[in-house]
Amino acid sequence: MTTNNKTFTGLTDEEVIQSREKHGANILSPAKRDSLWKRFFEKLTGPFGHHIKGWQDGDHLIFILEIAALLSLFISVSEYLHWFGLEGKDASVFFEPLGIFIAIFLATGIAFVFELKADKEFSLLNQVNDEEQVQVLRNGNRLLVPKKDVVVGDIIIIETGNEVPADAELLEATTLKLDESSLTGEPVCEKTIIETEFDDEATFPSNHIMRGTKVMEGHGVARVFAVGDQTENGKVMEAAQIDDSIKTPLNEQLDGLGSLITKLSYTLAILVIIGRIVVFLTAKDFVLIQFVSYLLETFMIAVTLVVVSVPEGLPMAVSLALALSMRKMLKTNNLVRKMHACETMGATTVICTDKTGTLTQNQMQVYQTKFYALADNQLSNDTLSLRIKEGIAVNSTAQLDFSDPEKATVIGNPTEGALLLWLHSQAIDYRALKAQTEVIEEIPFSTERKYMATLVRGADGRKVLYIKGAPEIIFSLSKEALGGVGQAEIDAQLAEYQNQAMRTLGFAYQEIDDENGVIVDGVLHADGLKFLGVVAISDPVRADVPAAVSECFQAGIRVKIVTGDTSGTAKEIGRQIGLWNDATDTDENIITGPEFAALSDEELSRRILDLKIISRARPMDKKRLVETLQAKGEVVAVTGDGTNDAPALKAAQVGLSMGDGTSVAKEASDITILDNSFSSIGLAVMWGRSLYHNIQRFILFQMTVNVAACLVVLVGAFMGTESPLTVTQMLWVNLIMDTFAAIALAGLPPTPNVMKEKPRNRNSFIISRVMKFNILATGGLFSLFLLALVYVFEHTDITSLSDFATIRLGNHDRLTPYELSLFFTIFVMLQFWNMFNARAFSTRRSAFHFKRCKSFLGIAAVILGGQILIVTVGGQLFNVTPLSISDWLVIIIGTSSVLWVSELWRFFKTRKTA
């Protein structure tokens, strides 16, 4: 291939093979993933999705269950094999340890399965198209090869619209401009092979083109020097895979709850063991066999106490709540990859967002035209309108892609593309205008000239010179300004546009009558240019963003713009979305990337909360911003769509990538915003806060169950009464029943009211003061009632609840199977009705308010049906016997007083605060 008197032949087939063997394929290695077994084991030791460094860092609740399961298994084996003189039992003795092990695997398995499914969906979304065709020179011929087959040493040809396949050094460059925003944040970078034109301040050398960047204008030839992981793109991806192991607020709070329950359950179990040993030693003569048997029985009571103390269903309930939210958030354009991110968004105190595509539409559009000689500034069929239309169409390097019938998209320079889109909106086909003209000569745009010019033979047969560029330059080159506009008016108009962070272009033309050249050796010689006017071009703010930002402010969340754009542009966007206020904000609230980097850690810590805008930001600026905010105790969410954003996305508590972002950014994130809109981020916050309230409601419900059960077992152990609740029964309550309750409570829809609250304190205990009162009061009342019931059952023979009408207390006796079934059912139904109270907690609404959550009633019916089924057919497994229909009706109606009393309390409380 020969271009500009240079001949390139490229690599031979043998050299291609050698290069691939030496430097590898042009493929980015995916993030290293642990094996399924290892990932499941991590869930087993910590079900909230964190990397576990050891057992001591695992989840407290699961760890307690694992200890209880092993101890229960040992006791069951001892009873089954007649060890220590224990009475022999059949295989049914293994039901209890089996139930605990099932609890463990259910709690961990749900989180594992849902995250696995999310990963699969993400992989489909984030497929990297390594089969994209690239032009290369090999063996002296130009041919197309898949991007993954490009090797070091290949000579590649790039043109407008191409994505650069690998890092390469330019051999030729013609008016070459690249969009490096995915790597550096810079939207347009000029590339050249002329050393005198090199930009010393550029992130990468002016004669280097980098993988993943896009050719916006011009064309070039380059020799590849790095492929795959060795490219700058690959290096950033590798750095983004480093796991900073940031703890989420929910995990910290659940760890606190788990730690408290661990200490309490172990303390109570030890007290029971010590207390019962003291009772044995003081009440009986010491006989070793009897003592060992008694001691194992004591250990079993201790295990039962631990099991009833620990909310086994909590890890699974949290996993279910997060998993359900993952599915529902997808409908609001939030694809959640990491379950913890659902809730962490609700604790967010700062959102660091980029500008382009998130706050703005990422599509340059004509904001306003000022063609001063046009009547009402409207195009028509006159000669002047023709000059405007023809000048825009032919004096341009951009093109429009009409492959999508619904929307034309720009190929090439986005600013020039905006002009073509404007013509298209006026029902003018720029392609037809270009087809009717003949380009004679042109001067490409350069930063030195600040204009471009094209000489054509127009549709009317006349030779016309069209010129566009910086308005002040075009106006100064013009001999005449149409419409009589003067310098002062032009300057005032430009100042107005520039204050709104808009790009401006000036237009002029000259009809050529003589044969003298107006373009000679690339130099303009035009002395009769007529100034047409000015066009203002902007990247409009998304229509829904100002309201979404206002909602964040209302919710107590700070918003910070971090952009590679200029300070003026960033400040104007800040004004438009309601972030920047000229009356109150000063230079203390805005900073440039270089100034930010120059701040010491102490200075940055002092200023960090006041900063609203960081302009001209570089990749590591955003990461440092995130880490400094976290050091101040903030919960940070970060948005990003470029490879350069990956380190910050990974460092934040929640990384939010854009749906059309780079694969590296999406891989580093926790949530992908499919529609790229900031308003979807606000919805994620609302979901997160509502989810946290739902988790609190579930904790309120389940901890009430556990407090009541724990007090019954604890008091019974010292009273010498038989425990009326078995481990298997409690596992039904804590796992199956509570799982359905978790689904019911987690399924409660989000409410916009949560956006009026301030972000919660991440250091606060997950059980609030009001919750603590409700748990202790309700659990205490339940336990008093249940202990009284046990006392009655032990001192009389109850065959039906109707016997209470003629009750006579007699001698102490063991509970009959029917009495145990009555106790178990009454215990469960008390919790059943209390679930309705938990649902209404902190809503200021009646428990019977079922708008948008009618599924709650269906799940309640399933729980009730499940209890009836277990008592009817559970037999030995659940230590129950069937109840009569009359007793069922009495229990259901009698225990419902729990709901009615609470409903009256809520009614009077609401009226009092109204």
Side-chain angles (χ1 to χ4, degrees):
M1 173 182 173
T2 302
T3 59
N4 295 344
N5 298 320
K6 295 180 182 178
T7 301
F8 306 109
T9 58
L11 301 177
T12 64
D13 293 339
E14 185 178 348
E15 288 172 331
V16 169
I17 295 171
Q18 292 173 351
S19 179
R20 187 172 291 118
E21 288 176 350
K22 182 177 180 181
H23 301 286
N26 190 30
I27 296 175
L28 296 180
S29 299
K32 293 181 180 178
R33 296 192 183 279
D34 294 327
S35 66
L36 292 179
W37 282 110
K38 185 175 181 182
R39 291 163 70 181
F40 181 73
F41 182 75
E42 286 180 352
K43 291 292 177 192
L44 200 61
T45 55
F48 299 110
H50 293 276
H51 291 281
I52 306 303
K53 298 177 181 176
W55 284 95
Q56 69 275 15
D57 295 327
D59 181 74
H60 294 287
L61 304 183
I62 291 297
F63 184 67
I64 297 171
L65 275 183
E66 287 163 345
I67 296 297
L70 292 174
L71 188 55
S72 177
L73 180 62
F74 173 74
I75 294 172
S76 297
V77 170
S78 300
E79 290 178 335
Y80 183 72
L81 298 178
H82 309 275
W83 289 354
F84 311 109
L86 292 175
E87 180 183 348
K89 293 186 179 181
D90 59 20
S92 62
V93 75
F94 291 102
F95 282 141
E96 288 189 356
L98 178 63
I100 302 175
F101 279 116
I102 290 173
I104 294 168
F105 280 94
L106 279 176
T108 55
I110 287 176
F112 177 71
V113 169
F114 272 92
E115 285 198 4
L116 214 59
K117 192 168 183 180
D119 275 347
K120 185 177 180 181
E121 289 178 356
F122 176 77
S123 296
L124 291 174
L125 171 77
N126 198 34
Q127 284 178 340
V128 182
N129 187 8
D130 289 321
E131 298 297 328
E132 183 181 340
Q133 298 295 298
V134 177
Q135 293 186 64
V136 301
L137 287 176
R138 289 181 183 169
N139 302 307
N141 299 316
R142 182 187 294 209
L143 65 154
L144 293 174
V145 301
K147 180 166 68 176
K148 64 183 178 63
D149 289 343
V150 172
V151 299
V152 172
D154 259 332
I155 291 179
I156 57 175
I157 297 100
I158 54 171
E159 299 172 343
T160 300
N162 290 164
E163 183 178 290
V164 178
D167 291 0
E169 181 180 0
L170 285 168
L171 304 175
E172 282 190 3
T174 304
T175 322
L176 188 60
K177 296 179 182 177
L178 267 63
D179 178 358
E180 287 190 346
S181 59
S182 68
L183 198 57
T184 67
E186 289 292 331
V188 179
C189 294
E190 294 191 21
K191 296 295 180 178
T192 179
I193 60 173
I194 303 171
E195 291 188 16
T196 55
E197 297 179 2
F198 282 9
D199 182 357
D200 295 333
E201 296 182 359
T203 307
F204 300 109
S206 296
N207 63 333
H208 284 188
I209 56 176
M210 319 310 290
R211 177 188 170 116
T213 59
K214 191 172 183 180
V215 181
M216 304 304 293
E217 185 180 329
H219 53 85
V221 179
R223 178 178 284 111
V224 174
F225 61 79
V227 295
D229 294 338
Q230 297 307 309
T231 62
E232 289 299 321
N233 197 298
K235 292 174 184 176
V236 174
M237 183 172 182
E238 185 177 354
Q241 291 176 21
I242 299 171
D243 187 5
D244 287 341
S245 298
I246 297 299
K247 270 205 165 186
T248 67
L250 178 63
N251 184 254
E252 290 175 346
Q253 291 176 310
L254 288 174
D255 277 352
L257 176 61
S259 179
L260 176 65
I261 292 172
T262 301
K263 293 171 183 175
L264 285 176
S265 62
Y266 286 170
T267 301
L268 290 174
I270 291 169
L271 286 175
V272 165
I273 293 170
I274 293 172
R276 282 179 60 87
I277 290 174
V278 170
V279 169
F280 179 87
L281 294 176
T282 56
K284 298 181 180 180
D285 294 331
F286 183 82
V287 178
L288 182 60
I289 294 296
Q290 291 180 353
F291 178 73
V292 171
S293 177
Y294 182 83
L295 188 62
L296 285 176
E297 182 184 338
T298 300
F299 277 130
M300 197 59 234
I301 292 173
V303 169
T304 304
L305 185 63
V306 169
V307 171
V308 300
S309 301
V310 175
E312 292 89 351
L314 182 57
M316 183 165 57
V318 173
S319 297
L320 266 176
L322 294 173
L324 286 170
S325 294
M326 281 176 70
R327 312 304 301 168
K328 292 181 179 181
M329 286 175 71
L330 184 57
K331 296 177 182 178
T332 62
N333 294 308
N334 289 275
L335 173 58
V336 181
R337 294 187 57 226
K338 302 293 176 63
M339 285 207 299
H340 74 79
C342 299
E343 186 281 329
T344 306
M345 279 303 299
T348 297
T349 58
V350 179
I351 297 175
C352 300
T353 178
D354 55 357
K355 176 184 71 69
T356 306
T358 307
L359 301 178
T360 66
Q361 298 177 20
N362 195 22
Q363 183 167 346
M364 303 300 290
Q365 297 179 12
V366 170
Y367 170 75
Q368 193 175 57
T369 59
K370 286 284 186 180
F371 295 117
Y372 297 99
L374 286 181
D376 298 324
N377 208 39
Q378 296 293 316
L379 295 174
S380 61
N381 293 320
D382 59 13
T383 302
L384 185 59
S385 295
L386 174 63
R387 294 292 170 247
I388 294 171
K389 293 182 288 187
E390 195 173 74
I392 290 174
V394 302
N395 190 29
S396 175
T397 61
Q399 301 177 51
L400 295 184
D401 179 1
F402 293 99
S403 57
D404 183 353
E406 299 294 324
K407 182 182 179 182
T409 55
V410 174
I411 299 175
N413 188 289
T415 304
E416 292 187 317
L419 296 171
L420 299 183
L421 286 171
W422 178 72
L423 285 182
H424 182 62
S425 70
Q426 306 283 319
I428 299 169
D429 188 348
Y430 83 97
R431 296 169 297 182
L433 288 169
K434 289 188 79 168
Q436 294 169 11
T437 62
E438 174 193 351
V439 176
I440 300 172
E441 203 161 359
E442 59 185 351
I443 300 175
F445 179 87
S446 74
T447 52
E448 290 77 20
R449 284 189 294 268
K450 295 188 177 180
Y451 66 80
M452 69 176 295
T454 303
L455 178 63
V456 302
R457 190 173 301 280
D460 56 2
R462 304 197 64 174
K463 288 173 66 176
V464 185
L465 173 69
Y466 293 109
I467 181 172
K468 78 167 185 289
E472 61 276 14
I473 301 295
I474 303 300
F475 188 82
S476 67
L477 292 173
S478 300
K479 180 180 180 181
E480 174 188 358
L482 300 182
V485 64
Q487 181 77 53
E489 186 177 348
I490 291 291
D491 289 344
Q493 186 65 70
L494 292 178
E496 180 183 338
Y497 289 145
Q498 287 163 1
N499 284 338
Q500 297 178 59
M502 295 182 185
R503 298 181 184 181
T504 53
L505 289 173
F507 295 82
Y509 80 98
Q510 179 178 340
E511 295 180 353
I512 309 301
D513 296 321
D514 54 39
E515 295 300 322
N516 295 328
V518 290
I519 299 178
V520 179
D521 296 329
V523 179
L524 184 68
H525 296 278
D527 56 5
L529 286 169
K530 296 180 179 180
F531 185 75
L532 289 167
V534 177
V535 172
I537 297 171
S538 68
D539 181 7
V541 167
R542 288 175 176 267
D544 55 354
V545 166
V549 170
S550 175
E551 188 178 45
C552 286
F553 291 157
Q554 223 179 7
I557 300 172
R558 296 185 182 91
V559 177
K560 299 180 185 294
I561 297 177
V562 187
T563 178
D565 221 325
T566 64
S567 297
T569 300
K571 193 184 291 187
E572 176 56 29
I573 294 299
R575 285 193 197 97
Q576 292 181 30
I577 66 174
L579 174 65
W580 186 269
N581 187 330
D582 287 323
T584 57
D585 292 322
T586 66
D587 289 343
E588 281 292 306
N589 305 110
I590 187 171
I591 195 170
T592 65
E595 291 169 345
F596 182 87
L599 291 177
S600 67
D601 290 341
E602 292 75 18
E603 290 171 327
L604 180 57
S605 180
R606 180 180 58 80
R607 290 189 59 183
I608 192 76
L609 296 180
D610 293 327
L611 289 176
K612 292 185 175 182
I613 297 172
I614 302 179
S615 61
R616 292 299 187 199
R618 292 167 291 189
M620 299 315 292
D621 293 337
K622 187 181 279 191
K623 185 172 187 290
R624 187 186 180 203
L625 172 69
V626 170
E627 291 171 342
T628 305
L629 285 167
Q630 289 172 338
K632 299 281 283 186
E634 304 290 338
V635 179
V636 186
V638 171
T639 73
D641 58 1
T643 300
N644 59 311
D645 295 318
L649 289 169
K650 195 72 173 178
Q653 275 97 345
V654 181
L656 301 154
S657 63
M658 301 298 116
D660 60 1
T662 66
S663 58
V664 178
K666 286 186 278 191
E667 185 66 42
S669 67
D670 303 297
I671 298 177
T672 297
I673 308 297
L674 298 179
D675 64 352
N676 300 347
S677 176
F678 190 90
S679 61
S680 293
I681 300 172
L683 287 173
V685 172
M686 183 177 73
W687 268 100
R689 292 189 174 187
S690 298
L691 174 61
Y692 181 75
H693 287 315
N694 288 343
I695 291 173
Q696 279 189 313
R697 292 184 182 104
F698 177 77
I699 290 174
L700 172 67
F701 164 74
Q702 190 170 50
M703 291 304 296
T704 303
V705 173
N706 290 89
V707 165
C710 185
L711 288 174
V712 168
V713 174
L714 181 63
V715 174
F718 286 100
M719 287 173 58
T721 62
E722 178 186 359
S723 173
L725 293 172
T726 68
V727 171
T728 313
Q729 288 174 347
M730 281 308 300
L731 287 174
W732 149 250
V733 174
N734 281 353
L735 283 174
I736 311 304
M737 176 182 170
D738 289 356
T739 295
F740 283 109
I743 295 172
L745 295 171
L748 297 179
T751 169
N753 290 335
V754 296
M755 296 300 284
K756 297 176 182 177
E757 303 170 3
K758 298 301 179 187
R760 72 176 191 272
N761 184 348
R762 65 179 298 170
N763 297 317
S764 62
F765 193 45
I766 196 167
I767 298 178
S768 65
R769 183 180 300 176
V770 177
M771 288 174 65
K772 189 186 300 180
F773 173 79
N774 282 355
I775 290 169
L776 293 176
T778 307
L781 288 173
F782 283 177
S783 61
L784 286 175
F785 173 73
L786 291 168
L787 284 168
L789 203 61
V790 170
Y791 182 82
V792 171
F793 285 163
E794 286 187 336
H795 290 80
T796 188
D797 187 16
I798 300 293
T799 58
S800 170
L801 288 177
S802 60
D803 293 344
F804 274 86
T806 58
I807 189 171
R808 287 186 179 181
L809 300 180
N811 295 327
H812 182 278
D813 198 5
R814 295 172 65 89
L815 273 64
T816 66
Y818 195 84
E819 289 170 339
L820 287 170
S821 295
L822 284 173
F823 183 90
F824 175 49
T825 303
I826 291 170
F827 176 81
V828 168
M829 292 310 300
L830 286 172
Q831 315 312 327
F832 173 81
W833 292 115
N834 194 46
M835 181 177 70
F836 287 79
N837 293 330
R839 178 192 169 279
F841 177 72
S842 78
T843 62
R844 296 186 179 180
R845 287 176 172 172
S846 165
F848 298 105
H849 181 84
F850 295 115
K851 186 178 180 182
R852 293 197 301 150
C853 51
K854 293 179 180 178
S855 60
F856 183 90
L857 286 176
I859 295 171
V862 170
I863 293 173
L864 179 59
Q867 179 63 21
I868 293 172
L869 184 66
I870 281 176
V871 173
T872 304
V873 301
Q876 278 190 323
L877 175 61
F878 287 96
N879 198 24
V880 291
T881 189
L883 301 180
S884 66
I885 294 177
S886 60
D887 281 350
W888 271 112
L889 290 174
V890 171
I891 291 171
I892 292 172
I893 294 171
T895 54
S896 68
S897 59
V898 171
L899 174 59
W900 300 116
V901 171
S902 297
E903 194 66 11
L904 283 172
W905 170 262
R906 280 187 290 272
F907 175 75
F908 288 114
K909 188 176 181 181
T910 302
R911 290 194 63 181
K912 185 177 180 181
T913 56

